[in-house]
Amino acid sequence: MLGATGGLIAMQKLVIDGNTWLFALTGAGVSAESGIPTFRGSDGLWENHPVERVASPEGFRDDPALVWRFYSERRKAAKSVAPNPGHVALAKLEEAMGDRFLLGTQNVDGLHTRAGSTRVVEMHGSLWKTKCSSCRRAPFDDAEVYDEGHLPACSTCDEHGHFALLRPDIVWFGEMLATENLARIDRFLSDGAKHRLVFLAIGTSGAVHPAATLVDLARARGAETWLVNLEPPANAQRFENTRTGASGEILQTLFDIR
Ligand code: OAD
């Protein structure tokens, strides 16, 4: 009964004590208040192309210029915005919790790091790194904007006498997440399970796997589950505690750090 219209639930705090381990999973919603559009907010379309078209190996093979234009625009947009109070609240929480905190983000914009978060797993890669579409050279820092007439080629491949395009270091649809990233999250949840483990998802539609199933992994380890989202995501029923609204507002008052 309570909470159906807000009321007490709206005041409910997430208590963080010395025995609490917290894993936060963030998605595009966390950056929305910084001015970065979410994926599914615009029907999952970018210039009338489905997101999968500009974020998949097939899309890159078919039209690398289109894909680089998409990511170049995202680089430009991300450069021009700043972290919002939601990012800052998570950085402050990490400051208070130290190694009992881990942030897994599906965002590639780097805003969590800019807000001061350091224990961050960039599950879907980074907008600020580029790698080769062919060879195994290590991804490198890159904030360049590539226009249509200037697609970047791999110098390592060039030295070996063949041509390959560079691509953003993003985990695209149909690609695997880095095993070390998943292992780090898994290890954290296992360690946290020996204490009071909290799983907190923020600003994510729960539509993309494996991020969307992490809540089940955490539940299997006995985690308490919390959700902060503007609207109910696909996996909303997996959460015990839900706060509906803008993360930049809610996160500022959600935590009761003891
Ligand atoms: P989505 O765009 O799918 O979902 C964003 C969620 O954030 C929605 O549920 C919104 O209701 C919510 N939201 C919007 N504004 C908010 C706000 N101010 N506060 C709180 N919540 C808000 O984004 P993701 O779930 O991150 O993958 O999408 C997951 C992945 O799909 C992305 O990483 C990307 C995408 O295609 C790749 O690029 C590989």
Side-chain angles (χ1 to χ4, degrees):
M1 211 159 60
L2 282 174
T5 54
L8 278 188
I9 293 287
M11 301 298 291
Q12 193 183 356
K13 295 256 189 186
L14 169 44
V15 172
I16 308 287
D17 62 18
N19 188 41
T20 305
W21 284 53
L22 186 141
F23 177 77
L25 171 71
T26 63
V30 165
S31 293
E33 287 154 85
S34 291
I36 297 186
T38 61
F39 289 93
R40 282 156 194 86
S42 46
D43 297 331
L45 293 178
W46 178 74
E47 289 187 0
N48 291 323
H49 303 287
V51 164
E52 290 77 6
R53 189 78 195 122
V54 289
S56 68
E58 296 77 21
F60 186 71
R61 200 179 49 223
D62 294 348
D63 196 345
L66 177 78
V67 173
W68 263 121
R69 193 150 54 83
F70 174 67
Y71 285 103
S72 291
E73 280 190 16
R74 296 186 67 202
R75 281 182 177 175
K76 267 193 266 180
K79 249 183 240 179
S80 69
V81 303
N84 67 57
H87 297 108
V88 173
L90 289 170
K92 280 192 186 148
L93 183 63
E94 178 187 340
E95 213 174 283
M97 296 185 77
D99 286 337
R100 293 182 290 112
F101 175 93
L102 185 65
L103 174 56
T105 186
Q106 299 164 86
N107 300 344
V108 296
D109 54 35
L111 287 176
H112 283 302
T113 309
R114 279 173 60 193
S117 291
T118 60
R119 293 164 178 88
V120 182
V121 179
E122 290 187 307
M123 299 170 65
H124 291 175
S126 170
L127 200 50
W128 308 111
K129 286 190 189 293
T130 292
K131 66 181 182 182
C132 180
S133 60
S134 172
C135 76
R136 287 170 175 269
R137 69 184 278 188
F140 58 92
D141 293 343
D142 187 18
E144 278 301 310
V145 164
Y146 299 105
D147 61 37
E148 302 257 334
H150 177 65
L151 290 180
C154 175
S155 53
T156 309
C157 286
D158 187 49
E159 279 162 24
H160 291 90
H162 58 94
F163 176 82
L165 284 177
L166 295 173
R167 56 162 276 186
D169 186 20
I170 306 274
V171 182
W172 281 336
F173 287 98
E175 295 185 321
M176 303 287 284
L177 272 65
T179 45
E180 65 270 24
N181 283 343
L182 287 176
R184 185 173 171 199
I185 292 170
D186 193 50
R187 218 167 33 241
F188 182 88
L189 295 177
S190 293
D191 291 345
K194 296 169 197 146
H195 308 266
R196 171 187 171 232
L197 179 61
V198 175
F199 182 93
L200 167 64
I202 311 146
T204 175
S205 59
V208 173
H209 298 273
T213 34
L214 282 181
V215 61
D216 293 315
L217 197 65
R219 282 169 65 112
R221 304 263 166 74
E224 205 178 283
T225 50
W226 289 70
L227 172 69
V228 173
N229 220 60
L230 204 54
E231 60 210 20
N235 60 354
Q237 77 289 351
R238 311 301 297 143
F239 293 86
E240 300 151 337
N241 305 281
T242 300
R243 296 284 300 268
T244 303
S247 53
E249 288 165 27
I250 292 176
L251 291 182
Q252 287 186 69
T253 56
L254 181 64
F255 309 114
D256 175 2
I257 301 172
R258 297 182 176 174

